[in-house]
Amino acid sequence: MNNGPQPVPQQNWLTKKRGIRDVWFWVFVGLLLVFGLEVWLLFRFMFVATMVTSSSMEPTLQKGDAVIVRRVRFTPANPPKRGELVFFRDPITKEDWLIKRVIGLPREKLIIWAGQVYINGQLLQETYVNGIVEEYGMWHIPEDAVFVMGDNRPHSNDSRDFGPVPLDLIEGRVVFRYFPLGRLGRIGQ
């Protein structure tokens, strides 16, 4: 028996449990940073998160709902579709942001007669309207604008008050509600 000193095996830092954990920790941190940057870029350039601050879109959107808006650049060649919910800068104050439904498209003639909406002489079927207002009016929508109205007609400040909305004031379309969780989901036409 040899009681002399035994050679100590050389250990590579990658073979140590602590070393491996350290490497995976930094890989995880790096991936987390990359993921965070991607999410930030998406929300900076492609999406907007906002809160509904009025009751003008009830029952579709309630006051306090949190929604995501997909940024879209609308043009006369690519206007929003009728029935879409759009997020836009208030044409009067240029500071407030509003969410309304697109009712009239560019180059259309819109008539409101006894609370009913007519587009180019045809009655528009609106299943989403909450309350009818006995009012009358006629608008010729310019080539670079749309006519918007809230679903809660008696309590909505919309194109009936400030006229058609220029397309360059529209930031995008409302696509998703993420709060309250009980009403979480996609927002369609």
Side-chain angles (χ1 to χ4, degrees):
M1 290 237 205
N2 189 357
N3 286 349
Q6 296 291 324
V8 178
Q10 294 292 334
Q11 291 187 351
N12 186 337
W13 68 276
L14 285 175
T15 61
K16 293 182 183 178
K17 282 189 176 182
R18 182 177 171 96
I20 290 174
R21 273 189 258 140
D22 287 347
V23 169
W24 285 114
F25 170 78
W26 289 111
V27 166
F28 176 74
V29 168
L31 289 173
L32 201 58
L33 287 173
V34 168
F35 178 71
L37 178 65
E38 289 175 355
V39 169
W40 179 81
L41 286 172
L42 275 174
F43 272 89
R44 176 70 177 104
F45 297 108
M46 294 182 67
F47 297 98
V48 176
T50 189
M51 184 80 65
V52 177
T53 58
S54 76
S55 62
S56 70
M57 286 303 297
E58 289 180 356
T60 307
L61 297 175
Q62 306 288 326
K63 186 175 183 176
D65 283 1
V67 296
I68 293 178
V69 175
R70 167 77 166 94
R71 290 182 193 254
V72 178
R73 188 76 188 140
F74 293 113
T75 64
N78 179 35
K81 294 178 180 72
R82 187 181 331 278
E84 279 187 325
L85 301 185
V86 292
F87 179 67
F88 61 97
R89 193 173 294 278
D90 186 325
I92 303 294
T93 67
K94 303 281 196 271
E95 293 178 9
D96 297 329
W97 291 92
L98 304 172
I99 296 175
K100 304 291 179 197
R101 188 178 300 274
V102 174
I103 303 298
L105 301 176
R107 296 177 300 279
E108 289 183 336
K109 178 180 174 184
L110 185 136
I111 298 173
I112 299 177
W113 184 261
Q116 299 293 314
V117 177
Y118 295 85
I119 305 287
N120 296 330
Q122 299 293 316
L123 177 66
L124 180 63
Q125 298 299 324
E126 300 179 288
T127 58
Y128 41 78
V129 173
N130 182 20
I132 300 293
V133 177
E134 290 290 325
E135 61 185 320
Y136 305 87
M138 182 174 70
W139 293 265
H140 291 279
I141 305 168
E143 182 178 327
D144 62 343
V146 291
F147 195 91
V148 298
M149 294 173 74
D151 292 354
N152 191 2
R153 300 283 160 84
H155 303 286
S156 180
N157 179 29
D158 50 38
S159 287
R160 295 171 295 172
D161 303 305
F162 49 70
V165 176
L167 293 174
D168 60 351
L169 292 182
I170 300 176
E171 186 75 15
R173 66 175 57 102
V174 180
V175 294
F176 193 80
R177 176 183 16 243
Y178 64 93
F179 184 82
L181 295 177
R183 298 184 52 193
L184 177 97
R186 188 167 180 265
I187 300 196
Q189 292 185 4

